[in-house]
Amino acid sequence: MLANSGRWQNDRVAGRVICGRFVIVTLFSKVGMFDRFGVLIQYLLPKQRLTELAGSVARAKKGRMTSSFIRWFARKYGVDMNEAESADLESYKTFNDFFGRPLRAGARPLAEADFVSPVDGAISQIGAIDDHHILQAKGHRFTTTDLLGGDAALSAQFRHGSFANLYLSPKDYHRLHMPCTGRLTRMVYVPGSLFSVNPATARGVRNLFARNERVVCVFDSGEHGAFVMVLVGATIVGSMETVWHGIVNPKRTGEVSAWDYASQPIVLEKGQEMGRFLLGSTVILLFQQNSIVFNESWKPERSVRLGEMMGNSPDPVAAGYTSA
C-alpha cells in the first residue's frame, strides 16, 4: 500500500504559491472570493497544532469553562437535545462526551430497506463511480485508489460501483452506524492533511478527501458484496474511534497502520454503531457494481437522518451475490 503522508508536510509551501494565485484570480473575479480566501487561510494555518489543542480542550474534565463552552456550542449550532439520551447539558463531563452523545431509544428507527443511512448529516455527492473516479465537487474528482491509501487491488473491487459522501455538520449526531450488516475484514489508518471538509473547502481543495487523514474500514456483507466506510478527518477532529478498536489515531505519527480482521468473527448488524468522530467530519461509502440502487430522493445537499432508506439491492441473482 502506498502512503501519501508526505503531502500534508508541504501544505504551508503550497499555501504561499496559492496566495499569489488567489490575489491574481480575485482581481478578475468576485465569484467565490470568500471561498478562496477561506481555503487560502487553511493552507497557512498550523492545522495539526490547532487540532491537538482542540483535542485537549475537548477531553478536559468538567469545569466552569467546559460547561460554558457546551452551552454556547449547543445554542450556537442549534443542537436538538430532545433527541439525546440525556437532554441535560450539565450531565456531560467533557465536551467529547457531549459531542458524541448517544441518542435516546427509538429516536432513529430503521427503515425497511436493504441499506440505511449510517449517519445524520447531508449529502455532499452521490452516484456512480466513473471507472475509478469519484466526484468531489463541480470540477474536482479523485480516484478510489488515492482515497484508499494507494491500495489498487482494493480499489479495483469498486470499479464502476457506487459511492456516497456524507458530511456531518457541528449540530449533527456524530456516531456512525452500519448501512447494512457486514463482517469486518480490514482497517487501515492513512495519515494526511487536516483541511476542513465543509462544502466550500471541497470546492477549493483538489483531492480533499484523498489527501486528508482517514480511516478505511473494509467489510464483507455476503449478500451485497464488499463495501467500504472511509472516516475522513478534518481540522480540529481530535481523533476517530471504532467500536472494535477504540481510538485509531491517538498520536499522529505520519505512518500508515493496518489491521487484518479476516480471521476474527467481527460482525456488525445493520444500524449498529460502528464508530464515532471526536469532533465532526465526513464518511464516504463505496459499494461494488450492481450492489445498490440509491433512494431516488437522495441528491447533493439533501439532509439525511440515521436509519432512513439509503437504497435497496437489485435482484441478487443479477448482481451475482449469494448469501454468506
Side-chain angles (χ1 to χ4, degrees), residues 69-146:
F69 183 52
I70 290 174
R71 289 194 299 272
W72 172 86
F73 188 96
R75 183 174 60 254
K76 167 73 174 177
Y77 292 104
V79 177
D80 185 357
M81 294 304 297
N82 292 322
E83 298 180 328
E85 186 175 81
S86 174
D88 181 9
L89 292 175
E90 299 299 325
S91 67
Y92 298 99
K93 295 181 179 179
T94 67
F95 183 80
N96 272 342
D97 290 343
F98 158 72
F99 197 79
R101 61 196 175 277
L103 294 173
R104 60 175 173 77
R108 295 291 186 277
L110 298 184
E112 293 185 5
D114 294 326
F115 301 89
V116 298
S117 174
V119 297
D120 282 2
I123 301 169
S124 295
Q125 295 292 337
I126 188 170
I129 298 172
D130 179 10
D131 190 6
H132 62 288
H133 286 90
I134 296 175
L135 180 65
Q136 173 178 303
K138 185 177 181 180
H140 295 313
R141 299 195 304 166
F142 60 96
T143 69
T144 53
T145 302
D146 285 343

Side-chain angles (χ1 to χ4, degrees), residues 256-279:
V256 173
S257 299
W259 296 265
D260 187 346
Y261 298 101
S263 62
Q264 300 183 40
I266 302 177
V267 177
L268 302 177
E269 301 294 326
K270 179 172 66 177
Q272 184 175 347
E273 182 182 341
M274 61 80 64
R276 70 180 73 174
F277 289 114
L278 302 182
L279 299 181

Side-chain angles (χ1 to χ4, degrees), residues 42 55 104 122 267 283 306 324:
Q42 291 185 60
R104 60 175 173 77
V267 177
V283 59
L306 168 65

Side-chain angles (χ1 to χ4, degrees), residues 85-305:
E85 186 175 81
S86 174
D88 181 9
L89 292 175
E90 299 299 325
S91 67
Y92 298 99
K93 295 181 179 179
T94 67
F95 183 80
N96 272 342
D97 290 343
F98 158 72
F99 197 79
R101 61 196 175 277
L103 294 173
R104 60 175 173 77
R108 295 291 186 277
L110 298 184
E112 293 185 5
D114 294 326
F115 301 89
V116 298
S117 174
V119 297
D120 282 2
I123 301 169
S124 295
Q125 295 292 337
I126 188 170
I129 298 172
D130 179 10
D131 190 6
H132 62 288
H133 286 90
I134 296 175
L135 180 65
Q136 173 178 303
K138 185 177 181 180
H140 295 313
R141 299 195 304 166
F142 60 96
T143 69
T144 53
T145 302
D146 285 343
L147 176 68
L148 300 176
D151 191 333
L154 178 60
S155 172
Q157 296 184 44
F158 301 96
R159 187 181 181 191
H160 299 304
S162 302
F163 76 95
N165 296 358
L166 307 178
Y167 168 67
L168 286 69
S169 72
K171 70 178 178 60
D172 289 321
Y173 167 69
H174 276 80
R175 297 194 182 198
L176 314 176
H177 295 247
M178 296 291 288
C180 63
T181 298
R183 180 175 62 85
L184 179 70
T185 61
R186 187 151 45 114
M187 180 175 74
V188 182
Y189 166 71
V190 184
S193 299
L194 292 168
F195 287 97
S196 170
V197 291
N198 62 34
T201 308
R203 292 189 294 268
V205 176
R206 294 184 181 276
N207 296 325
L208 172 63
F209 301 117
R211 70 190 298 172
N212 262 20
E213 173 184 67
R214 55 208 180 276
V215 175
V216 178
C217 303
V218 185
F219 296 92
D220 181 6
S221 73
E223 182 180 2
H224 308 298
F227 67 96
V228 169
M229 296 181 70
V230 182
L231 284 57
V232 183
T235 311
I236 74 168
V237 176
S239 55
M240 292 169 277
E241 182 177 330
T242 64
V243 296
W244 60 84
H245 181 89
I247 295 177
V248 179
N249 54 334
K251 294 183 178 180
R252 291 177 165 94
T253 63
E255 298 178 355
V256 173
S257 299
W259 296 265
D260 187 346
Y261 298 101
S263 62
Q264 300 183 40
I266 302 177
V267 177
L268 302 177
E269 301 294 326
K270 179 172 66 177
Q272 184 175 347
E273 182 182 341
M274 61 80 64
R276 70 180 73 174
F277 289 114
L278 302 182
L279 299 181
S281 191
T282 285
V283 59
I284 301 177
L285 298 105
L286 304 181
F287 300 100
Q288 292 183 301
Q289 187 175 19
N290 297 325
S291 63
I292 185 172
V293 177
F294 284 118
N295 183 339
E296 291 184 356
S297 70
W298 274 41
K299 306 292 182 183
E301 300 184 10
R302 179 190 186 276
S303 295
V304 298
R305 283 164 66 89

Side-chain angles (χ1 to χ4, degrees), residues 9-18 43-44:
Q9 297 175 351
N10 298 319
D11 284 347
R12 301 188 75 177
V13 175
R16 297 187 186 102
V17 175
I18 290 177
Y43 274 97
L44 300 177

